[in-house]
PDB file of all heavy atoms in Angstrom:
ATOM      1  N   PHE A 354     -13.965  29.227  -4.723  1.00  0.00           N
ATOM      2  CA  PHE A 354     -14.771  28.008  -4.877  1.00  0.00           C
ATOM      3  C   PHE A 354     -15.726  27.912  -3.712  1.00  0.00           C
ATOM      4  O   PHE A 354     -15.596  26.960  -2.937  1.00  0.00           O
ATOM      5  CB  PHE A 354     -13.851  26.774  -5.011  1.00  0.00           C
ATOM      6  CG  PHE A 354     -12.778  26.866  -6.121  1.00  0.00           C
ATOM      7  CD1 PHE A 354     -11.536  27.265  -5.818  1.00  0.00           C
ATOM      8  CD2 PHE A 354     -13.190  26.528  -7.449  1.00  0.00           C
ATOM      9  CE1 PHE A 354     -10.592  27.308  -6.868  1.00  0.00           C
ATOM     10  CE2 PHE A 354     -12.228  26.540  -8.431  1.00  0.00           C
ATOM     11  CZ  PHE A 354     -10.907  26.968  -8.211  1.00  0.00           C
ATOM     12  N   PRO A 355     -16.613  28.772  -3.583  1.00  0.00           N
ATOM     13  CA  PRO A 355     -17.475  28.758  -2.329  1.00  0.00           C
ATOM     14  C   PRO A 355     -18.399  27.549  -2.239  1.00  0.00           C
ATOM     15  O   PRO A 355     -18.780  27.230  -1.075  1.00  0.00           O
ATOM     16  CB  PRO A 355     -18.366  30.041  -2.556  1.00  0.00           C
ATOM     17  CG  PRO A 355     -18.320  30.315  -3.983  1.00  0.00           C
ATOM     18  CD  PRO A 355     -16.996  29.808  -4.499  1.00  0.00           C
ATOM     19  N   GLU A 356     -18.653  26.809  -3.269  1.00  0.00           N
ATOM     20  CA  GLU A 356     -19.515  25.628  -3.146  1.00  0.00           C
ATOM     21  C   GLU A 356     -18.738  24.399  -2.728  1.00  0.00           C
ATOM     22  O   GLU A 356     -19.417  23.366  -2.378  1.00  0.00           O
ATOM     23  CB  GLU A 356     -20.195  25.343  -4.559  1.00  0.00           C
ATOM     24  CG  GLU A 356     -19.276  24.845  -5.655  1.00  0.00           C
ATOM     25  CD  GLU A 356     -18.248  25.832  -6.229  1.00  0.00           C
ATOM     26  OE1 GLU A 356     -18.429  27.041  -5.934  1.00  0.00           O
ATOM     27  OE2 GLU A 356     -17.309  25.392  -6.838  1.00  0.00           O
ATOM     28  N   GLU A 357     -17.451  24.430  -2.682  1.00  0.00           N
ATOM     29  CA  GLU A 357     -16.604  23.342  -2.393  1.00  0.00           C
ATOM     30  C   GLU A 357     -16.470  23.194  -0.887  1.00  0.00           C
ATOM     31  O   GLU A 357     -16.149  24.106  -0.167  1.00  0.00           O
ATOM     32  CB  GLU A 357     -15.229  23.556  -3.029  1.00  0.00           C
ATOM     33  CG  GLU A 357     -14.288  22.383  -2.820  1.00  0.00           C
ATOM     34  CD  GLU A 357     -14.947  21.089  -3.191  1.00  0.00           C
ATOM     35  OE1 GLU A 357     -15.350  20.877  -4.338  1.00  0.00           O
ATOM     36  OE2 GLU A 357     -15.030  20.213  -2.274  1.00  0.00           O
ATOM     37  N   VAL A 358     -16.718  21.923  -0.382  1.00  0.00           N
ATOM     38  CA  VAL A 358     -16.733  21.719   1.089  1.00  0.00           C
ATOM     39  C   VAL A 358     -15.364  21.120   1.504  1.00  0.00           C
ATOM     40  O   VAL A 358     -15.156  21.077   2.776  1.00  0.00           O
ATOM     41  CB  VAL A 358     -17.924  20.833   1.517  1.00  0.00           C
ATOM     42  CG1 VAL A 358     -19.219  21.536   1.392  1.00  0.00           C
ATOM     43  CG2 VAL A 358     -17.866  19.514   0.835  1.00  0.00           C
ATOM     44  N   THR A 359     -14.544  20.719   0.611  1.00  0.00           N
ATOM     45  CA  THR A 359     -13.289  20.069   1.047  1.00  0.00           C
ATOM     46  C   THR A 359     -12.300  21.177   1.492  1.00  0.00           C
ATOM     47  O   THR A 359     -11.615  21.005   2.480  1.00  0.00           O
ATOM     48  CB  THR A 359     -12.734  19.228  -0.100  1.00  0.00           C
ATOM     49  OG1 THR A 359     -13.659  18.228  -0.419  1.00  0.00           O
ATOM     50  CG2 THR A 359     -11.420  18.569   0.324  1.00  0.00           C
ATOM     51  N   LEU A 360     -12.300  22.278   0.770  1.00  0.00           N
ATOM     52  CA  LEU A 360     -11.354  23.375   1.142  1.00  0.00           C
ATOM     53  C   LEU A 360     -11.585  23.808   2.605  1.00  0.00           C
ATOM     54  O   LEU A 360     -10.628  24.000   3.383  1.00  0.00           O
ATOM     55  CB  LEU A 360     -11.452  24.440   0.215  1.00  0.00           C
ATOM     56  CG  LEU A 360     -10.963  24.127  -1.223  1.00  0.00           C
ATOM     57  CD1 LEU A 360     -11.338  25.217  -2.257  1.00  0.00           C
ATOM     58  CD2 LEU A 360      -9.471  23.889  -1.255  1.00  0.00           C
ATOM     59  N   PRO A 361     -12.814  24.206   3.052  1.00  0.00           N
ATOM     60  CA  PRO A 361     -13.069  24.582   4.422  1.00  0.00           C
ATOM     61  C   PRO A 361     -12.543  23.510   5.414  1.00  0.00           C
ATOM     62  O   PRO A 361     -12.025  23.879   6.487  1.00  0.00           O
ATOM     63  CB  PRO A 361     -14.525  24.918   4.516  1.00  0.00           C
ATOM     64  CG  PRO A 361     -14.985  25.117   3.147  1.00  0.00           C
ATOM     65  CD  PRO A 361     -14.091  24.334   2.237  1.00  0.00           C
ATOM     66  N   TYR A 362     -12.800  22.301   5.056  1.00  0.00           N
ATOM     67  CA  TYR A 362     -12.347  21.168   5.914  1.00  0.00           C
ATOM     68  C   TYR A 362     -10.818  21.218   6.176  1.00  0.00           C
ATOM     69  O   TYR A 362     -10.328  21.095   7.232  1.00  0.00           O
ATOM     70  CB  TYR A 362     -12.817  19.857   5.349  1.00  0.00           C
ATOM     71  CG  TYR A 362     -12.093  18.686   5.984  1.00  0.00           C
ATOM     72  CD1 TYR A 362     -12.411  18.231   7.248  1.00  0.00           C
ATOM     73  CD2 TYR A 362     -11.050  18.012   5.356  1.00  0.00           C
ATOM     74  CE1 TYR A 362     -11.855  17.168   7.905  1.00  0.00           C
ATOM     75  CE2 TYR A 362     -10.432  16.900   5.959  1.00  0.00           C
ATOM     76  CZ  TYR A 362     -10.810  16.509   7.222  1.00  0.00           C
ATOM     77  OH  TYR A 362     -10.105  15.481   7.799  1.00  0.00           O
ATOM     78  N   LEU A 363     -10.077  21.372   5.056  1.00  0.00           N
ATOM     79  CA  LEU A 363      -8.613  21.490   5.129  1.00  0.00           C
ATOM     80  C   LEU A 363      -8.219  22.661   5.970  1.00  0.00           C
ATOM     81  O   LEU A 363      -7.229  22.548   6.686  1.00  0.00           O
ATOM     82  CB  LEU A 363      -8.079  21.472   3.671  1.00  0.00           C
ATOM     83  CG  LEU A 363      -8.250  20.193   2.910  1.00  0.00           C
ATOM     84  CD1 LEU A 363      -7.741  20.409   1.485  1.00  0.00           C
ATOM     85  CD2 LEU A 363      -7.582  19.014   3.553  1.00  0.00           C
ATOM     86  N   PHE A 380     -15.401  26.829  10.087  1.00  0.00           N
ATOM     87  CA  PHE A 380     -15.025  26.268   8.817  1.00  0.00           C
ATOM     88  C   PHE A 380     -15.363  24.749   8.692  1.00  0.00           C
ATOM     89  O   PHE A 380     -15.429  24.218   7.588  1.00  0.00           O
ATOM     90  CB  PHE A 380     -13.503  26.553   8.512  1.00  0.00           C
ATOM     91  CG  PHE A 380     -13.289  27.890   8.042  1.00  0.00           C
ATOM     92  CD1 PHE A 380     -12.794  28.824   8.892  1.00  0.00           C
ATOM     93  CD2 PHE A 380     -13.508  28.316   6.742  1.00  0.00           C
ATOM     94  CE1 PHE A 380     -12.594  30.127   8.521  1.00  0.00           C
ATOM     95  CE2 PHE A 380     -13.285  29.596   6.288  1.00  0.00           C
ATOM     96  CZ  PHE A 380     -12.851  30.538   7.131  1.00  0.00           C
ATOM     97  N   PRO A 383     -19.504  23.462   7.125  1.00  0.00           N
ATOM     98  CA  PRO A 383     -19.908  22.994   5.818  1.00  0.00           C
ATOM     99  C   PRO A 383     -19.505  21.524   5.540  1.00  0.00           C
ATOM    100  O   PRO A 383     -20.195  20.806   4.736  1.00  0.00           O
ATOM    101  CB  PRO A 383     -19.170  23.866   4.862  1.00  0.00           C
ATOM    102  CG  PRO A 383     -18.696  25.008   5.628  1.00  0.00           C
ATOM    103  CD  PRO A 383     -18.617  24.595   7.020  1.00  0.00           C
ATOM    104  N   SER A 384     -18.428  20.963   6.223  1.00  0.00           N
ATOM    105  CA  SER A 384     -18.063  19.665   5.835  1.00  0.00           C
ATOM    106  C   SER A 384     -18.774  18.640   6.682  1.00  0.00           C
ATOM    107  O   SER A 384     -18.568  17.396   6.517  1.00  0.00           O
ATOM    108  CB  SER A 384     -16.553  19.548   6.039  1.00  0.00           C
ATOM    109  OG  SER A 384     -16.157  19.815   7.367  1.00  0.00           O
ATOM    110  N   ASN A 386     -21.715  17.737   6.040  1.00  0.00           N
ATOM    111  CA  ASN A 386     -22.377  17.078   5.007  1.00  0.00           C
ATOM    112  C   ASN A 386     -21.475  16.735   3.868  1.00  0.00           C
ATOM    113  O   ASN A 386     -21.893  16.751   2.689  1.00  0.00           O
ATOM    114  CB  ASN A 386     -23.542  17.943   4.488  1.00  0.00           C
ATOM    115  CG  ASN A 386     -24.574  18.160   5.534  1.00  0.00           C
ATOM    116  OD1 ASN A 386     -24.939  17.324   6.272  1.00  0.00           O
ATOM    117  ND2 ASN A 386     -25.014  19.431   5.761  1.00  0.00           N
ATOM    118  N   HIS A 387     -20.237  16.506   4.125  1.00  0.00           N
ATOM    119  CA  HIS A 387     -19.296  16.183   3.091  1.00  0.00           C
ATOM    120  C   HIS A 387     -19.558  14.946   2.331  1.00  0.00           C
ATOM    121  O   HIS A 387     -20.145  13.981   2.959  1.00  0.00           O
ATOM    122  CB  HIS A 387     -17.817  16.064   3.749  1.00  0.00           C
ATOM    123  CG  HIS A 387     -16.753  16.194   2.818  1.00  0.00           C
ATOM    124  ND1 HIS A 387     -16.338  15.172   1.955  1.00  0.00           N
ATOM    125  CD2 HIS A 387     -15.978  17.259   2.481  1.00  0.00           C
ATOM    126  CE1 HIS A 387     -15.353  15.563   1.214  1.00  0.00           C
ATOM    127  NE2 HIS A 387     -15.146  16.882   1.486  1.00  0.00           N
ATOM    128  N   PRO A 388     -19.289  14.862   1.034  1.00  0.00           N
ATOM    129  CA  PRO A 388     -19.642  13.633   0.315  1.00  0.00           C
ATOM    130  C   PRO A 388     -18.848  12.357   0.752  1.00  0.00           C
ATOM    131  O   PRO A 388     -19.219  11.291   0.505  1.00  0.00           O
ATOM    132  CB  PRO A 388     -19.391  13.981  -1.156  1.00  0.00           C
ATOM    133  CG  PRO A 388     -18.510  15.187  -1.062  1.00  0.00           C
ATOM    134  CD  PRO A 388     -18.821  15.868   0.140  1.00  0.00           C
TER     135      PRO A 388
END
Side-chain angles (χ1 to χ4, degrees):
F354 304 96
E356 72 289 345
E357 183 49 61
V358 294
T359 302
L360 294 169
Y362 166 75
L363 294 173
F380 282 100
S384 60
N386 296 315
H387 198 280

